[in-house]
């Protein structure tokens, strides 16, 4: 069963001191322009991969976060970016968060992951746009396949 990344709608009322800390944390988190909250039901995988590339290009790093079943999607996105030489891992945080289950009416613990990826040294050279005039290094070599012609010799004759 697929789970969505969700924000609790009704949380228990915290004390005034805790409320200040929570509101300061929430204000700081909403200011992060390089955070992607990943869901494994809303968008396809490569939507998030391409969005992460754009965030790395703009902010030099991206923070990928997910809850529950979407954690595997975040790990996959991270590995795709690292294996393609576009990003390097800076930080990985795991935790659990209490979420109110609307069906059962109780607080349920959900696993949470946050992965911060930074721009790799090769990022800019790998992300250069291809125009009509420029040919990437990989494509510069003529890789056109040609049929292999073999000379068939009758057995016993050399």
């Amino acid at each position: 069963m697929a789970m969505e990344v969700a924000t609790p709608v009704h949380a228990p009322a915290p004390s005034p001191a805790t409320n200040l800390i929570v509101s300061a944390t929430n204000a700081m988190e909403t200011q992060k322009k390089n955070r992607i909250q990943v869901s494994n039901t809303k968008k396809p995988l490569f939507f998030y991969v391409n969005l992460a590339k754009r965030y790395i290009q703009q902010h030099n790093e991206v923070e990928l976060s997910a809850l529950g079943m979407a954690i595997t999607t975040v790990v996959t996105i991270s590995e795709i970016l690292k294996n393609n030489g576009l990003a390097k891992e800076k930080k990985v945080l795991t935790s659990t968060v209490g979420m109110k289950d609307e069906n059962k009416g109780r607080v349920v613990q959900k696993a949470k992951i946050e992965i911060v990826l930074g721009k790799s040294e090769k990022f800019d050279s790998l992300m250069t746009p291809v125009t009509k005039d420029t040919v990437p290094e990989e494509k510069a070599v003529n890789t056109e396949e040609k049929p292999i012609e073999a000379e068939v010799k009758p057995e016993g004759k050399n």
Side-chain angles (χ1 to χ4, degrees):
M1 178 166 68
M3 308 273 300
E4 289 188 35
V5 175
T7 316
V9 178
H10 304 288
S15 67
T18 309
N19 198 16
L20 290 173
I21 295 168
V22 169
S23 63
T25 304
N26 287 343
M28 199 166 54
E29 287 180 358
T30 56
Q31 290 174 350
K32 283 194 170 185
K33 294 190 174 13
N34 63 338
R35 173 181 281 174
I36 300 172
Q37 292 182 315
V38 175
S39 165
N40 56 351
T41 59
K42 294 197 175 175
K43 301 281 184 189
L45 176 73
F46 275 90
F47 168 83
Y48 293 113
V49 171
N50 292 324
L51 185 61
K53 286 180 191 177
R54 192 174 322 140
Y55 279 23
I56 292 171
Q57 211 164 26
Q58 293 171 348
H59 304 287
N60 293 328
E61 70 176 28
V62 64
E63 182 179 313
L64 303 165
S65 69
L67 295 174
M69 301 295 283
I71 289 174
T72 54
T73 307
V74 164
V75 172
T76 302
I77 294 164
S78 173
E79 289 300 312
I80 288 169
L81 293 169
K82 290 187 322 185
N83 291 338
N84 288 326
L86 297 169
K88 58 184 178 195
E89 196 172 280
K90 283 185 154 185
K91 183 168 54 169
V92 178
L93 297 171
T94 59
S95 61
T96 55
V97 292
M99 308 264 316
K100 182 154 176 139
D101 188 337
E102 294 174 8
N103 299 330
K104 298 175 184 167
R106 64 175 192 217
V107 175
V108 179
Q109 294 292 318
K110 295 244 184 201
K112 179 179 181 178
I113 192 166
E114 296 177 37
I115 300 177
V116 178
L117 298 174
K119 186 188 268 191
S120 72
E121 296 78 25
K122 299 185 272 182
F123 183 88
D124 292 322
S125 63
L126 292 170
M127 290 294 291
T128 53
V130 179
T131 62
K132 287 187 247 177
D133 300 333
T134 61
V135 178
E137 290 177 30
E138 297 170 3
K139 304 282 183 180
V141 179
N142 185 4
T143 58
E144 185 179 313
E145 291 185 27
K146 294 181 181 174
I148 298 173
E149 296 178 21
E151 184 179 325
V152 179
K153 296 181 182 179
E155 283 187 39
K157 294 182 182 178
N158 287 342

